Amino acid sequence: LSQFPSSTYYKQAKFYHDQARRMVAKRVMYIGDFYYQWGEYRAAAPRYEEVFKSFGGLGLDQRAIYYAALSYHKLGKDEIAV
């Protein structure tokens, strides 16, 4: 995308690129949710962090930050949770 910003296919390529990133982000979020539901907060927190650090701006940021903070809180790491 960055190499050919004036291409006639730019909009279509950006759409599919964003769609693929969103699918990966949702999958990482799903894995985080699985660990969170089973009480595996040490495994859940990094998944949520990955969502908002690597896949920011896709509409999952607020939920990922919220559950990352909850996971760290439940681990007793309130200084990271804030």
Side-chain angles (χ1 to χ4, degrees):
L1 290 173
S2 62
Q3 291 180 341
F4 303 102
S6 59
S7 171
T8 56
Y9 299 108
Y10 180 82
K11 286 183 181 179
Q12 185 179 9
K14 175 129 178 65
F15 172 77
Y16 287 118
H17 179 261
D18 290 345
Q19 188 177 14
R21 287 185 72 229
R22 193 171 294 110
M23 287 174 63
V24 174
K26 285 182 178 181
R27 181 68 178 167
V28 174
M29 190 73 149
Y30 175 81
I31 294 167
D33 291 343
F34 172 82
Y35 284 128
Y36 186 87
Q37 289 173 356
W38 283 93
E40 297 293 333
Y41 307 115
R42 184 172 285 128
R47 276 29 176 233
Y48 293 127
E49 276 189 45
E50 182 180 356
V51 170
F52 67 81
K53 287 183 179 177
S54 299
F55 302 102
L58 297 176
L60 299 170
D61 298 353
Q62 289 182 344
R63 187 169 177 273
I65 291 170
Y66 176 75
Y67 279 101
L70 278 180
S71 297
Y72 282 123
H73 174 71
K74 292 188 180 216
L75 290 170
K77 297 182 178 182
D78 290 332
E79 66 280 354
I80 298 173
V82 176

